[in-house]
Amino acid sequence: MALLQLEAGQTVAILSDIRLELSRLGIELAHWPIERTPKIAPLLAAEILNETQKEELLCAFDERFEDQKRRYGYQARDLVVLHSSVPNLENLLKIFDKCHTHADDEVRYIIDGTGRFGFVAPDGKQMLLTVEAGEYIRVPANTEHWFVLDENRRIKAVRYFTNKDGWVANYTGTPARF
Ligand SMILES: [Fe+2]
């Protein structure tokens, strides 16, 4: 289950309360249960996937995004696989772990593992959201945020983009306080 930490030391664990808190920033969070069919279960369990295996997993979840594609105009998708055995993991993580914005939405459907998104509200307050497999998040374009792995050091997330070539992080220099 998702967990939201606020700066006052408060923790929000009830999904409807988390959604309310995030909606103030325009962020959507939904629970999309994963059906671990015999076909995809081994792919979900794997630490590293090749491009063919990634595509197989992506196809298994394509239908879920039909509505989002129509509504938000997403044109491209990929699967990000992060695990302690992925070569160059620490350098990869450095792209996401500092406060940044971008002109595209940040759309993630976590299909394996866990991770943490930090958000900076327009008033400067920060919050940290832990997400796990079966959770979908849409962070609107230009929202200041960051992403880190947690102690599991493992996540697989489907990403959607309106323009994959245009995904460029603008680092804001805000220090993350979590
Ligand atoms: Fe981002």
Side-chain angles (χ1 to χ4, degrees), residues 95-110:
I95 301 171
F96 316 116
D97 71 2
K98 287 176 283 298
C99 287
H100 66 276
T101 62
H102 32 71
D104 206 338
D105 293 349
E106 181 141 325
V107 177
R108 304 286 181 269
Y109 177 33
I110 317 303

Side-chain angles (χ1 to χ4, degrees), residues 12 39 53 58 62 68 72 133 135 144-145 151 177:
V12 188
K39 193 180 167 195
Q53 293 168 319
L58 284 165
D62 274 346
Q68 269 69 17
Y72 302 111
E135 288 169 340
E144 193 176 0
H145 65 282
E151 55 283 358
R177 291 193 290 271

